[in-house]
Amino acid sequence: MNVKINENFDNLSENYLFSEINKRITKYKEENKAADIIKLGIGDVTLPLDKTVIDALIKASNEMGNKETFRGYPPEYGYDFMKEAVKKYYKRFNVELDLDSIFISDGAKSDLGNIVDIFGNNNIYIPNPVYPVYLDSNLMSGRNINFINGSKDNNFLPLPTSDIKKGSIIYLCSPNNPTGSCYKYDELKKWVDFALNNDSLIIYDSAYESFISSDEYPHSIYEIEGAKSCAIEICSFSKQAGFTGLRCGFTIIPLEIVCSNHQINKLWKRRQATKFNGVSYPVQRAAEAALTDNGIKECMDNIKYYMVNAKMLSELFDEKNIYYTGGKNSPYIWFKCPNDMKSWEFFDYLLKNANVVGTPGAGFGTFGEGYFRITSFNTHEKTKEAVERLRKLL
Ligand code: PLP
């Protein structure tokens, strides 16, 4: 067929990370049928939804089956009750949000991927390593991409440098996936001040915000003065409330952000009204319930469960004196592969010698090479067993 395609897709690398992992596990299992493999590569939640959330989901689903309470298309930007719930949640961080700045979505990935639609051909700055969606969505749109590199030297928390061009879009992810590292107030302020002074916009991914337990770290970029003029924040109920299968998130675009004489909030409204038909009523009621006092408490119990695993794992790295980041305000632990092994070499070594699976750091960017990510989403029992195996090996 002589139909032209978006040739930018040719610039994407093969999305092979998790398929390659599965291929190697399958092959190993075929050759070692008795192997009891523990998966510490899980990037998905494993605990079920909380009672408060499920009760709200059932109640709202029943309303949909009743003539008097049935609802059709939801508002593209979210029901007011849901936006009010997000607004109230942000008051916990002393952030006052305009209701019109909140957009309810079917998860952070969609909005992170779609936000490119409303911008022109700017210089894009993306952390390396990081969640791959920022890079791939900008590649698909043919953007000019630069990296802000993480390493042991900056504890995988890159700060602004003078070579970043004015008028750029900068992605930040804190707590970071995959490194688990998290910007402190003064560090994030450096980015906000940089953006304000250099006519640049920050896209801030706070999907793991609820794993922050220390007062030293901001939950939202809007805790930093001036951020409402230069930052979009994208968040998710996936990890906070176990919504990976239910799908809900939100994006905040303050009314103050103006680029090339256009209010960015208005452009996003226009984009969403054209290409998105909203999040279903039962899911929004479930997400609203997750933000009630009871909902937050129950969600935090699940997060505490995962963080017990993170503690078990990070204590092992402390004991072995192996460099790592994360594990404290994040479900991820990111560590340097022993004996200068490369990421995939260590993957095979760990699988063969401990029957433990993780994720090679090289899959998250070139600066992830030589590093490895493990997660705290397995059970206490399996994590404990994995720690014992790792203790013998590392
Ligand atoms: N942002 C980061 C940093 C993530 O790690 C993930 C999922 O793993 C997402 C966003 C996607 O979130 P959602 O499930 O809401 O699409």
Side-chain angles (χ1 to χ4, degrees):
M1 228 190 287
N2 210 7
V3 173
K4 294 190 184 68
I5 59 142
N6 177 350
E7 286 175 5
N8 294 318
F9 276 65
D10 289 339
N11 298 327
L12 297 170
S13 63
E14 213 47 56
N15 187 7
Y16 76 107
L17 179 62
F18 290 100
S19 55
E20 179 63 25
I21 288 173
N22 288 333
K23 210 165 91 191
R24 291 191 192 206
I25 299 173
T26 308
K27 183 165 179 285
Y28 184 78
K29 270 190 180 156
E30 276 165 15
E31 291 161 3
N32 303 274
K33 296 219 159 42
D36 171 22
I37 292 173
I38 300 180
K39 291 190 175 170
L40 292 187
I42 308 172
D44 197 349
V45 291
T46 48
L47 294 172
L49 292 161
D50 296 317
K51 188 176 179 324
T52 302
V53 166
I54 285 294
D55 286 349
L57 189 63
I58 292 171
K59 183 167 174 279
S61 302
N62 283 330
E63 284 176 44
M64 295 293 274
N66 188 322
K67 197 170 185 327
E68 279 69 48
T69 48
F70 168 79
R71 301 192 187 216
Y73 286 121
E76 293 100 343
Y77 317 131
Y79 283 107
D80 276 351
F81 66 76
M82 184 57 214
K83 293 201 269 180
E84 291 284 2
V86 171
K87 184 177 159 80
K88 185 167 166 234
Y89 182 69
Y90 270 67
K91 286 199 174 137
R92 297 166 78 96
F93 318 138
N94 292 320
V95 171
E96 192 58 53
L97 292 179
D98 198 309
L99 219 53
D100 264 356
S101 69
I102 304 167
F103 296 85
I104 308 303
S105 72
D106 63 353
K109 191 184 203 173
S110 318
D111 283 5
L112 284 162
N114 293 330
I115 200 87
V116 258
D117 276 8
I118 61 170
F119 296 106
N121 198 9
N122 301 292
N123 278 302
I124 307 292
Y125 288 83
I126 296 176
N128 179 2
V130 86
Y131 182 57
V133 172
Y134 321 149
L135 174 62
D136 285 353
S137 54
N138 278 286
L139 281 173
M140 285 175 189
S141 298
R143 299 294 188 250
N144 182 13
I145 293 160
N146 308 270
F147 292 105
I148 40 178
N149 296 324
S151 66
K152 196 175 170 187
D153 293 341
N154 57 21
N155 264 325
F156 290 93
L157 286 171
L159 289 173
T161 48
S162 54
D163 56 333
I164 298 179
K165 296 192 178 74
K166 277 184 189 283
S168 296
I169 295 183
I170 302 159
Y171 284 78
L172 297 176
C173 178
S174 181
N176 180 286
N177 177 16
T179 69
S181 49
C182 194
Y183 285 112
K184 290 189 173 156
Y185 280 91
D186 58 332
E187 293 163 333
L188 196 55
K189 183 172 173 358
K190 288 194 175 128
W191 276 114
V192 171
D193 289 348
F194 180 87
L196 290 171
N197 293 330
N198 290 278
D199 226 13
S200 294
L201 180 80
I202 295 173
I203 298 179
Y204 189 73
D205 182 348
S206 62
Y208 296 93
E209 159 277 310
S210 49
F211 286 80
I212 297 174
S213 58
S214 157
D215 293 345
E216 288 176 276
Y217 305 91
H219 289 255
S220 161
I221 196 164
Y222 305 120
E223 291 179 67
I224 312 294
E225 203 185 329
K228 277 191 183 166
S229 304
C230 66
I232 291 174
E233 182 158 298
I234 300 185
C235 197
S236 167
F237 288 92
S238 284
K239 308 293 156 78
Q240 170 176 358
F243 272 49
T244 52
L246 214 51
R247 311 301 309 141
C248 196
F250 56 89
T251 287
I252 297 164
I253 308 189
L255 309 179
E256 290 89 331
I257 304 180
V258 176
C259 302
S260 303
N261 293 324
H262 286 71
Q263 206 182 18
I264 289 303
N265 179 288
K266 249 182 157 172
L267 295 192
W268 185 244
K269 265 198 181 117
R270 188 71 183 84
R271 190 257 170 225
Q272 290 299 80
T274 302
K275 296 195 184 181
F276 185 59
N277 246 347
V279 177
S280 79
Y281 174 68
V283 168
Q284 290 198 54
R285 279 294 185 201
E288 178 196 27
L291 294 183
T292 58
D293 290 344
N294 269 348
I296 291 172
K297 194 198 154 299
E298 289 169 22
C299 291
M300 285 315 292
D301 286 346
N302 287 357
I303 286 175
K304 279 181 198 150
Y305 180 94
Y306 298 132
M307 290 313 286
V308 168
N309 293 343
K311 188 161 185 283
M312 277 193 252
L313 290 162
S314 48
E315 279 175 357
L316 174 73
F317 292 102
D318 287 333
E319 179 192 314
K320 295 280 182 183
N321 218 359
I322 294 173
Y323 174 76
Y324 71 98
T325 53
K328 305 244 158 37
N329 296 284
S330 156
Y332 298 125
I333 292 128
W334 173 259
F335 62 94
K336 173 121 180 48
C337 302
N339 303 322
D340 287 332
M341 273 190 243
K342 300 244 183 211
S343 300
W344 280 106
E345 189 186 349
F346 183 68
F347 176 90
D348 291 332
Y349 176 78
L350 196 61
L351 177 59
K352 184 165 169 240
N353 295 291
N355 289 179
V356 169
V357 173
T359 313
F364 297 99
T366 48
F367 272 66
E369 181 58 280
Y371 283 83
F372 207 74
R373 188 193 80 173
I374 52 176
T375 80
S376 55
F377 291 119
N378 213 318
T379 60
H380 287 338
E381 297 70 27
K382 293 268 188 204
T383 307
K384 191 159 177 267
E385 169 64 23
V387 166
E388 289 317 314
R389 293 187 198 174
L390 288 168
R391 180 171 281 121
K392 287 188 200 131
L393 192 71
L394 295 175

